[in-house]
mmCIF file of all heavy atoms in Angstrom:
data_model
loop_
_atom_site.group_PDB
_atom_site.id
_atom_site.type_symbol
_atom_site.label_atom_id
_atom_site.label_comp_id
_atom_site.label_asym_id
_atom_site.label_seq_id
_atom_site.Cartn_x
_atom_site.Cartn_y
_atom_site.Cartn_z
ATOM 1 N N PRO A 545 5.043 21.502 -21.236
ATOM 2 C CA PRO A 545 5.879 21.085 -22.414
ATOM 3 C C PRO A 545 5.655 19.623 -22.817
ATOM 4 O O PRO A 545 5.896 19.262 -23.952
ATOM 5 C CB PRO A 545 7.303 21.270 -21.860
ATOM 6 C CG PRO A 545 7.194 22.304 -20.789
ATOM 7 C CD PRO A 545 5.854 22.036 -20.131
ATOM 8 N N LEU A 546 5.149 18.795 -21.881
ATOM 9 C CA LEU A 546 4.896 17.396 -22.200
ATOM 10 C C LEU A 546 3.796 17.252 -23.249
ATOM 11 O O LEU A 546 3.606 16.203 -23.808
ATOM 12 C CB LEU A 546 4.544 16.605 -20.934
ATOM 13 C CG LEU A 546 5.687 16.431 -19.922
ATOM 14 C CD1 LEU A 546 5.149 15.695 -18.682
ATOM 15 C CD2 LEU A 546 6.831 15.642 -20.542
ATOM 16 N N LYS A 547 3.034 18.319 -23.460
ATOM 17 C CA LYS A 547 1.930 18.260 -24.449
ATOM 18 C C LYS A 547 2.527 17.911 -25.832
ATOM 19 O O LYS A 547 1.859 17.247 -26.669
ATOM 20 C CB LYS A 547 1.138 19.538 -24.491
ATOM 21 C CG LYS A 547 1.815 20.695 -25.201
ATOM 22 C CD LYS A 547 0.836 21.826 -25.448
ATOM 23 C CE LYS A 547 1.512 22.919 -26.299
ATOM 24 N NZ LYS A 547 0.608 24.017 -26.600
ATOM 25 N N TYR A 548 3.734 18.432 -26.104
ATOM 26 C CA TYR A 548 4.305 18.178 -27.411
ATOM 27 C C TYR A 548 4.690 16.725 -27.610
ATOM 28 O O TYR A 548 4.541 16.134 -28.673
ATOM 29 C CB TYR A 548 5.553 19.062 -27.622
ATOM 30 C CG TYR A 548 5.208 20.555 -27.553
ATOM 31 C CD1 TYR A 548 5.596 21.303 -26.436
ATOM 32 C CD2 TYR A 548 4.490 21.179 -28.557
ATOM 33 C CE1 TYR A 548 5.298 22.650 -26.348
ATOM 34 C CE2 TYR A 548 4.149 22.511 -28.460
ATOM 35 C CZ TYR A 548 4.548 23.233 -27.399
ATOM 36 O OH TYR A 548 4.245 24.587 -27.273
ATOM 37 N N VAL A 549 5.150 16.071 -26.533
ATOM 38 C CA VAL A 549 5.453 14.635 -26.568
ATOM 39 C C VAL A 549 4.159 13.858 -26.790
ATOM 40 O O VAL A 549 4.119 12.949 -27.647
ATOM 41 C CB VAL A 549 6.121 14.190 -25.249
ATOM 42 C CG1 VAL A 549 6.346 12.704 -25.277
ATOM 43 C CG2 VAL A 549 7.435 14.930 -25.022
ATOM 44 N N ALA A 550 3.125 14.232 -26.044
ATOM 45 C CA ALA A 550 1.850 13.547 -26.203
ATOM 46 C C ALA A 550 1.245 13.759 -27.621
ATOM 47 O O ALA A 550 0.689 12.832 -28.207
ATOM 48 C CB ALA A 550 0.855 14.043 -25.163
ATOM 49 N N LEU A 551 1.451 14.964 -28.174
ATOM 50 C CA LEU A 551 0.929 15.258 -29.486
ATOM 51 C C LEU A 551 1.659 14.422 -30.559
ATOM 52 O O LEU A 551 0.995 13.892 -31.472
ATOM 53 C CB LEU A 551 1.116 16.754 -29.788
ATOM 54 C CG LEU A 551 0.548 17.247 -31.097
ATOM 55 C CD1 LEU A 551 -0.934 16.994 -31.179
ATOM 56 C CD2 LEU A 551 0.833 18.750 -31.298
ATOM 57 N N ILE A 552 2.972 14.305 -30.421
ATOM 58 C CA ILE A 552 3.756 13.480 -31.370
ATOM 59 C C ILE A 552 3.300 12.034 -31.324
ATOM 60 O O ILE A 552 3.133 11.357 -32.331
ATOM 61 C CB ILE A 552 5.259 13.619 -31.084
ATOM 62 C CG1 ILE A 552 5.734 15.045 -31.436
ATOM 63 C CG2 ILE A 552 6.048 12.595 -31.897
ATOM 64 C CD1 ILE A 552 7.163 15.318 -30.988
ATOM 65 N N LEU A 553 3.108 11.532 -30.058
ATOM 66 C CA LEU A 553 2.688 10.127 -29.919
ATOM 67 C C LEU A 553 1.292 9.939 -30.467
ATOM 68 O O LEU A 553 0.989 8.902 -31.040
ATOM 69 C CB LEU A 553 2.719 9.756 -28.422
ATOM 70 C CG LEU A 553 4.107 9.623 -27.775
ATOM 71 C CD1 LEU A 553 3.964 9.387 -26.280
ATOM 72 C CD2 LEU A 553 4.897 8.514 -28.442
ATOM 73 N N THR A 554 0.427 10.946 -30.315
ATOM 74 C CA THR A 554 -0.924 10.865 -30.867
ATOM 75 C C THR A 554 -0.907 10.754 -32.366
ATOM 76 O O THR A 554 -1.585 9.912 -32.964
ATOM 77 C CB THR A 554 -1.725 12.116 -30.453
ATOM 78 O OG1 THR A 554 -1.798 12.220 -29.040
ATOM 79 C CG2 THR A 554 -3.150 12.042 -31.035
ATOM 80 N N ILE A 555 -0.081 11.579 -33.027
ATOM 81 C CA ILE A 555 0.007 11.560 -34.469
ATOM 82 C C ILE A 555 0.577 10.240 -34.983
ATOM 83 O O ILE A 555 0.061 9.624 -35.939
ATOM 84 C CB ILE A 555 0.901 12.713 -34.968
ATOM 85 C CG1 ILE A 555 0.236 14.066 -34.646
ATOM 86 C CG2 ILE A 555 1.176 12.615 -36.471
ATOM 87 C CD1 ILE A 555 1.107 15.264 -34.932
ATOM 88 N N ALA A 556 1.615 9.739 -34.232
ATOM 89 C CA ALA A 556 2.205 8.460 -34.623
ATOM 90 C C ALA A 556 1.207 7.331 -34.476
ATOM 91 O O ALA A 556 1.103 6.421 -35.348
ATOM 92 C CB ALA A 556 3.468 8.185 -33.772
ATOM 93 N N CYS A 557 0.461 7.348 -33.373
ATOM 94 C CA CYS A 557 -0.482 6.272 -33.124
ATOM 95 C C CYS A 557 -1.673 6.346 -34.103
ATOM 96 O O CYS A 557 -2.124 5.322 -34.605
ATOM 97 C CB CYS A 557 -0.996 6.384 -31.681
ATOM 98 S SG CYS A 557 -1.775 4.890 -31.062
ATOM 99 N N LEU A 558 -2.067 7.584 -34.441
ATOM 100 C CA LEU A 558 -3.144 7.710 -35.416
ATOM 101 C C LEU A 558 -2.749 7.233 -36.759
ATOM 102 O O LEU A 558 -3.508 6.536 -37.487
ATOM 103 C CB LEU A 558 -3.545 9.202 -35.491
ATOM 104 C CG LEU A 558 -4.612 9.556 -36.555
ATOM 105 C CD1 LEU A 558 -5.947 8.824 -36.218
ATOM 106 C CD2 LEU A 558 -4.855 11.042 -36.600
ATOM 107 N N SER A 559 -1.491 7.533 -37.186
ATOM 108 C CA SER A 559 -0.984 7.032 -38.440
ATOM 109 C C SER A 559 -0.937 5.527 -38.488
ATOM 110 O O SER A 559 -1.314 4.892 -39.513
ATOM 111 C CB SER A 559 0.414 7.605 -38.702
ATOM 112 O OG SER A 559 0.403 9.009 -38.742
ATOM 113 N N SER A 560 -0.511 4.920 -37.363
ATOM 114 C CA SER A 560 -0.445 3.456 -37.275
ATOM 115 C C SER A 560 -1.827 2.849 -37.350
ATOM 116 O O SER A 560 -2.018 1.780 -37.959
ATOM 117 C CB SER A 560 0.277 3.050 -35.980
ATOM 118 O OG SER A 560 1.581 3.510 -35.954
ATOM 119 N N THR A 561 -2.780 3.496 -36.707
ATOM 120 C CA THR A 561 -4.200 3.025 -36.723
ATOM 121 C C THR A 561 -4.714 3.010 -38.136
ATOM 122 O O THR A 561 -5.296 2.032 -38.609
ATOM 123 C CB THR A 561 -5.059 3.901 -35.816
ATOM 124 O OG1 THR A 561 -4.512 3.890 -34.478
ATOM 125 C CG2 THR A 561 -6.483 3.364 -35.766
ATOM 126 N N VAL A 562 -4.560 4.114 -38.830
ATOM 127 C CA VAL A 562 -5.047 4.258 -40.209
ATOM 128 C C VAL A 562 -4.384 3.204 -41.097
ATOM 129 O O VAL A 562 -5.015 2.545 -41.931
ATOM 130 C CB VAL A 562 -4.822 5.692 -40.757
ATOM 131 C CG1 VAL A 562 -5.150 5.722 -42.232
ATOM 132 C CG2 VAL A 562 -5.627 6.679 -39.974
ATOM 133 N N TYR A 563 -3.082 3.061 -40.959
ATOM 134 C CA TYR A 563 -2.338 2.100 -41.774
ATOM 135 C C TYR A 563 -2.783 0.660 -41.485
ATOM 136 O O TYR A 563 -2.930 -0.156 -42.454
ATOM 137 C CB TYR A 563 -0.837 2.245 -41.478
ATOM 138 C CG TYR A 563 0.030 1.279 -42.283
ATOM 139 C CD1 TYR A 563 0.297 1.538 -43.641
ATOM 140 C CD2 TYR A 563 0.553 0.125 -41.713
ATOM 141 C CE1 TYR A 563 1.069 0.693 -44.367
ATOM 142 C CE2 TYR A 563 1.304 -0.759 -42.420
ATOM 143 C CZ TYR A 563 1.575 -0.480 -43.778
ATOM 144 O OH TYR A 563 2.366 -1.343 -44.499
ATOM 145 N N SER A 564 -3.053 0.362 -40.258
ATOM 146 C CA SER A 564 -3.489 -1.007 -39.881
ATOM 147 C C SER A 564 -4.810 -1.338 -40.533
ATOM 148 O O SER A 564 -5.003 -2.416 -41.110
ATOM 149 C CB SER A 564 -3.642 -1.120 -38.387
ATOM 150 O OG SER A 564 -2.369 -0.993 -37.744
ATOM 151 N N PHE A 565 -5.781 -0.393 -40.498
ATOM 152 C CA PHE A 565 -7.074 -0.624 -41.167
ATOM 153 C C PHE A 565 -6.920 -0.698 -42.677
ATOM 154 O O PHE A 565 -7.548 -1.501 -43.339
ATOM 155 C CB PHE A 565 -8.043 0.473 -40.775
ATOM 156 C CG PHE A 565 -8.651 0.310 -39.364
ATOM 157 C CD1 PHE A 565 -8.503 1.329 -38.453
ATOM 158 C CD2 PHE A 565 -9.295 -0.888 -39.033
ATOM 159 C CE1 PHE A 565 -9.040 1.177 -37.184
ATOM 160 C CE2 PHE A 565 -9.850 -1.014 -37.757
ATOM 161 C CZ PHE A 565 -9.719 0.003 -36.822
ATOM 162 N N TYR A 566 -6.052 0.175 -43.226
ATOM 163 C CA TYR A 566 -5.851 0.196 -44.669
ATOM 164 C C TYR A 566 -5.281 -1.081 -45.204
ATOM 165 O O TYR A 566 -5.607 -1.503 -46.305
ATOM 166 C CB TYR A 566 -4.948 1.405 -45.006
ATOM 167 C CG TYR A 566 -4.720 1.566 -46.491
ATOM 168 C CD1 TYR A 566 -5.673 2.138 -47.344
ATOM 169 C CD2 TYR A 566 -3.474 1.157 -47.029
ATOM 170 C CE1 TYR A 566 -5.433 2.265 -48.692
ATOM 171 C CE2 TYR A 566 -3.248 1.301 -48.407
ATOM 172 C CZ TYR A 566 -4.222 1.847 -49.236
ATOM 173 O OH TYR A 566 -3.959 1.980 -50.577
ATOM 174 N N THR A 567 -4.398 -1.682 -44.413
ATOM 175 C CA THR A 567 -3.731 -2.921 -44.864
ATOM 176 C C THR A 567 -4.459 -4.168 -44.407
ATOM 177 O O THR A 567 -3.954 -5.305 -44.568
ATOM 178 C CB THR A 567 -2.279 -2.972 -44.332
ATOM 179 O OG1 THR A 567 -2.289 -2.831 -42.901
ATOM 180 C CG2 THR A 567 -1.433 -1.840 -44.951
ATOM 181 N N GLY A 568 -5.630 -3.989 -43.792
ATOM 182 C CA GLY A 568 -6.439 -5.101 -43.417
ATOM 183 C C GLY A 568 -6.135 -5.736 -42.052
ATOM 184 O O GLY A 568 -6.621 -6.818 -41.697
ATOM 185 N N HIS A 569 -5.269 -5.075 -41.269
ATOM 186 C CA HIS A 569 -4.962 -5.595 -39.935
ATOM 187 C C HIS A 569 -5.951 -5.020 -38.915
ATOM 188 O O HIS A 569 -5.683 -4.113 -38.143
ATOM 189 C CB HIS A 569 -3.516 -5.181 -39.547
ATOM 190 C CG HIS A 569 -2.474 -5.826 -40.401
ATOM 191 N ND1 HIS A 569 -2.066 -5.298 -41.617
ATOM 192 C CD2 HIS A 569 -1.721 -6.946 -40.229
ATOM 193 C CE1 HIS A 569 -1.125 -6.044 -42.136
ATOM 194 N NE2 HIS A 569 -0.886 -7.066 -41.299
ATOM 195 N N TRP A 570 -7.170 -5.602 -38.945
ATOM 196 C CA TRP A 570 -8.280 -5.062 -38.191
ATOM 197 C C TRP A 570 -8.054 -5.187 -36.668
ATOM 198 O O TRP A 570 -8.495 -4.323 -35.904
ATOM 199 C CB TRP A 570 -9.580 -5.780 -38.611
ATOM 200 C CG TRP A 570 -9.877 -5.587 -40.049
ATOM 201 C CD1 TRP A 570 -9.626 -6.427 -41.085
ATOM 202 C CD2 TRP A 570 -10.489 -4.408 -40.644
ATOM 203 N NE1 TRP A 570 -10.009 -5.903 -42.296
ATOM 204 C CE2 TRP A 570 -10.549 -4.630 -42.050
ATOM 205 C CE3 TRP A 570 -10.966 -3.212 -40.134
ATOM 206 C CZ2 TRP A 570 -11.094 -3.723 -42.921
ATOM 207 C CZ3 TRP A 570 -11.495 -2.296 -40.984
ATOM 208 C CH2 TRP A 570 -11.568 -2.524 -42.373
ATOM 209 N N ILE A 571 -7.492 -6.263 -36.275
ATOM 210 C CA ILE A 571 -7.255 -6.467 -34.827
ATOM 211 C C ILE A 571 -6.338 -5.400 -34.279
ATOM 212 O O ILE A 571 -6.625 -4.758 -33.261
ATOM 213 C CB ILE A 571 -6.688 -7.871 -34.534
ATOM 214 C CG1 ILE A 571 -7.744 -8.920 -34.939
ATOM 215 C CG2 ILE A 571 -6.319 -8.006 -33.078
ATOM 216 C CD1 ILE A 571 -7.243 -10.367 -34.759
ATOM 217 N N TRP A 572 -5.192 -5.198 -34.966
ATOM 218 C CA TRP A 572 -4.233 -4.168 -34.547
ATOM 219 C C TRP A 572 -4.889 -2.793 -34.582
ATOM 220 O O TRP A 572 -4.708 -1.963 -33.673
ATOM 221 C CB TRP A 572 -2.964 -4.203 -35.429
ATOM 222 C CG TRP A 572 -2.001 -5.254 -35.015
ATOM 223 C CD1 TRP A 572 -1.696 -6.381 -35.701
ATOM 224 C CD2 TRP A 572 -1.236 -5.289 -33.832
ATOM 225 N NE1 TRP A 572 -0.765 -7.122 -35.038
ATOM 226 C CE2 TRP A 572 -0.432 -6.483 -33.875
ATOM 227 C CE3 TRP A 572 -1.087 -4.432 -32.737
ATOM 228 C CZ2 TRP A 572 0.425 -6.835 -32.857
ATOM 229 C CZ3 TRP A 572 -0.205 -4.789 -31.722
ATOM 230 C CH2 TRP A 572 0.549 -5.976 -31.806
ATOM 231 N N GLY A 573 -5.645 -2.547 -35.619
ATOM 232 C CA GLY A 573 -6.285 -1.228 -35.735
ATOM 233 C C GLY A 573 -7.262 -0.989 -34.612
ATOM 234 O O GLY A 573 -7.343 0.087 -34.054
ATOM 235 N N SER A 574 -8.039 -2.030 -34.243
ATOM 236 C CA SER A 574 -8.998 -1.927 -33.183
ATOM 237 C C SER A 574 -8.346 -1.669 -31.827
ATOM 238 O O SER A 574 -8.818 -0.936 -30.977
ATOM 239 C CB SER A 574 -9.849 -3.196 -33.104
ATOM 240 O OG SER A 574 -10.575 -3.376 -34.303
ATOM 241 N N LEU A 575 -7.176 -2.305 -31.628
ATOM 242 C CA LEU A 575 -6.427 -2.125 -30.384
ATOM 243 C C LEU A 575 -5.835 -0.695 -30.286
ATOM 244 O O LEU A 575 -5.729 -0.133 -29.188
ATOM 245 C CB LEU A 575 -5.271 -3.140 -30.277
ATOM 246 C CG LEU A 575 -5.701 -4.613 -30.100
ATOM 247 C CD1 LEU A 575 -4.500 -5.510 -30.167
ATOM 248 C CD2 LEU A 575 -6.417 -4.777 -28.749
ATOM 249 N N LEU A 576 -5.469 -0.150 -31.445
ATOM 250 C CA LEU A 576 -4.843 1.186 -31.436
ATOM 251 C C LEU A 576 -5.848 2.336 -31.289
ATOM 252 O O LEU A 576 -5.457 3.440 -30.895
ATOM 253 C CB LEU A 576 -4.032 1.360 -32.750
ATOM 254 C CG LEU A 576 -2.747 0.555 -32.840
ATOM 255 C CD1 LEU A 576 -2.164 0.671 -34.243
ATOM 256 C CD2 LEU A 576 -1.744 1.092 -31.815
ATOM 257 N N VAL A 577 -7.113 2.087 -31.592
ATOM 258 C CA VAL A 577 -8.116 3.151 -31.511
ATOM 259 C C VAL A 577 -8.234 3.758 -30.111
ATOM 260 O O VAL A 577 -8.142 4.982 -29.933
ATOM 261 C CB VAL A 577 -9.488 2.644 -31.991
ATOM 262 C CG1 VAL A 577 -10.591 3.669 -31.624
ATOM 263 C CG2 VAL A 577 -9.474 2.481 -33.502
ATOM 264 N N PRO A 578 -8.430 2.929 -29.062
ATOM 265 C CA PRO A 578 -8.541 3.544 -27.705
ATOM 266 C C PRO A 578 -7.268 4.192 -27.257
ATOM 267 O O PRO A 578 -7.304 5.202 -26.560
ATOM 268 C CB PRO A 578 -8.928 2.338 -26.809
ATOM 269 C CG PRO A 578 -8.479 1.133 -27.563
ATOM 270 C CD PRO A 578 -8.670 1.481 -29.018
ATOM 271 N N ILE A 579 -6.113 3.658 -27.696
ATOM 272 C CA ILE A 579 -4.838 4.283 -27.299
ATOM 273 C C ILE A 579 -4.726 5.649 -27.950
ATOM 274 O O ILE A 579 -4.302 6.619 -27.320
ATOM 275 C CB ILE A 579 -3.661 3.383 -27.757
ATOM 276 C CG1 ILE A 579 -3.749 2.029 -27.022
ATOM 277 C CG2 ILE A 579 -2.325 4.062 -27.482
ATOM 278 C CD1 ILE A 579 -2.675 1.033 -27.458
#
Side-chain angles (χ1 to χ4, degrees):
L546 291 177
K547 76 169 185 177
Y548 299 108
V549 177
L551 184 59
I552 291 172
L553 291 175
T554 300
I555 295 172
C557 198
L558 177 61
S559 299
S560 298
T561 302
V562 172
Y563 180 77
S564 296
F565 282 123
Y566 181 77
T567 56
H569 295 84
W570 300 99
I571 295 178
W572 278 110
S574 299
L575 292 173
L576 287 171
V577 167
I579 297 175

